[in-house]
Amino acid sequence: MVNLDLTGKKALVMGVANKRSLGWAIASELIDAGAELAFTYQGERLKGTLEKLTADLPNCRLYDCDVTDDAQIAAVFDDLGQHWDGIDALVHAIAFAPREALDGRYVDTTRSDWLTALEISAFSLVAVARAAEPLFNEGAGVVTLTYHASEKVVPKYNVMAIAKSALEGSVRYLAYELGAKGVRVNAISAGPMRTIAARSIPGFTEMYKAFERSAPLRRNVTHEDVGKLGLFLLSPWSASTTGEVVYTDSGYNVMGMHLVEE
Ligand code: 0WE
């Protein structure tokens, strides 16, 4: 198979916590395509993990970046601006809602938990796109990660669903505005994946099994599926696709009823 060639392209990936992170799935494909990578991580406790994952990468840059702090975001892009000839790809793989907000009823979400989830999971894309704007090269791509619960109720996803709705709306508005500079912005909507963000959810294994039984392709989604779609959306092969939510979910979202087969 002929690989996509992104030699010399510069890609920043934000939100890799470990090797099962979807940000890492996309990063791996960008690396295989020859891109030069930089990563941001949240807090010193994640630094070691990222150092291990990226140990073999030439010229790889790592930054501690809390996306609730504009100064930390500015520092990342200032430094990249000094070392890179612009940015060709930006991967936003960041989401967080306080644990208790994903457990009870959505109607009981506190003001503070609601704002935290929306700030970290949705506003951060706006903040990062604004800081990256002066550095984007012609034809650059932005990819973020969403989930079908933004449109249809998935019990317990709660405030994260509303954050993903805001994120998808932001993708459309950012696509409109950055499109004037030839920059594309898209979201990947993946089926349930075994990541650390998901495994701590009670009932996740049941969801994962039910998904596999009722999706048109009768299989779960792999990290490679997500990584390859990310690579495609950050490559010239998707040159006129922007503002979209692209599903990689074995077709699950097209179903209007889920029948249990023998
Ligand atoms: O976006 C997600 C998970 C995001 C997430 C996960 C956690 C767990 C630990 C955000 N914040 C937190 N906060 C924590 O303290 N997914 C698409 C995976 C996911 O999470 C669910 C799901 C699915 C699928 C939660 C309830 C129901 C389904």
Side-chain angles (χ1 to χ4, degrees), residues 121-133:
S121 313
F123 179 74
S124 65
L125 179 68
V126 185
V128 159
R130 179 161 65 242
E133 189 177 11

Side-chain angles (χ1 to χ4, degrees), residues 164-205:
K164 292 303 192 188
S165 300
L167 182 74
E168 292 174 14
S170 296
V171 163
R172 291 184 283 272
Y173 277 80
L174 294 171
Y176 170 62
E177 292 176 357
L178 303 187
K181 297 182 167 178
V183 177
R184 298 180 298 105
V185 185
N186 293 289
I188 294 175
S189 190
M193 310 279 304
R194 292 187 188 278
T195 64
I196 43 159
R199 279 188 323 176
S200 62
I201 308 297
F204 184 79
T205 302

Side-chain angles (χ1 to χ4, degrees), residues 7-241:
T7 306
K9 300 291 183 187
K10 308 291 190 292
L12 175 65
V13 180
M14 311 184 75
V16 173
N18 64 22
K19 66 175 199 294
R20 290 180 143 169
S21 295
L22 299 191
W24 181 247
I26 299 171
S28 304
E29 298 295 338
L30 291 168
I31 293 163
D32 287 354
E36 191 176 319
L37 277 278
F39 294 86
T40 70
Y41 54 89
Q42 193 269 307
E44 286 298 315
R45 80 210 146 83
L46 291 169
K47 188 178 185 181
T49 311
L50 220 52
E51 281 174 345
K52 266 186 227 151
L53 283 174
T54 60
D56 296 336
L57 302 183
N59 306 321
C60 181
R61 320 191 74 83
L62 304 181
Y63 302 94
D64 190 352
C65 183
D66 175 346
V67 291
T68 66
D69 183 347
D70 285 329
Q72 291 187 39
I73 294 173
V76 170
F77 290 95
D78 279 354
D79 195 76
L80 283 179
Q82 284 172 35
H83 292 94
W84 278 1
D85 52 348
I87 295 177
D88 301 292
L90 175 60
V91 178
H92 173 276
I94 296 171
F96 176 76
R99 171 85 260 170
E100 69 269 20
L102 299 175
D103 236 355
R105 303 194 309 156
Y106 178 63
V107 72
D108 292 326
T109 309
T110 64
R111 186 184 301 269
S112 153
D113 287 356
W114 198 97
L115 290 170
T116 298
L118 272 283
E119 180 180 21
I120 298 179
S121 313
F123 179 74
S124 65
L125 179 68
V126 185
V128 159
R130 179 161 65 242
E133 189 177 11
L135 294 178
F136 280 135
N137 291 327
E138 176 68 28
V142 179
V143 161
T144 187
L145 294 162
T146 188
Y147 180 55
H148 186 49
S150 61
E151 303 186 58
K152 300 291 180 187
V153 173
V154 173
K156 305 281 184 191
Y157 198 64
N158 296 1
V159 68
M160 271 308 305
I162 283 64
K164 292 303 192 188
S165 300
L167 182 74
E168 292 174 14
S170 296
V171 163
R172 291 184 283 272
Y173 277 80
L174 294 171
Y176 170 62
E177 292 176 357
L178 303 187
K181 297 182 167 178
V183 177
R184 298 180 298 105
V185 185
N186 293 289
I188 294 175
S189 190
M193 310 279 304
R194 292 187 188 278
T195 64
I196 43 159
R199 279 188 323 176
S200 62
I201 308 297
F204 184 79
T205 302
E206 285 64 46
M207 275 179 28
Y208 197 75
K209 285 187 202 147
F211 179 95
E212 185 174 39
R213 280 196 300 270
S214 69
L217 293 178
R218 276 85 167 173
R219 70 165 178 89
N220 274 289
V221 176
T222 66
H223 283 68
E224 187 183 345
D225 293 330
V226 176
K228 290 255 157 65
L229 178 56
L231 178 62
F232 167 75
L233 289 173
L234 295 168
S235 81
W237 297 126
S238 60
S240 74
T241 299

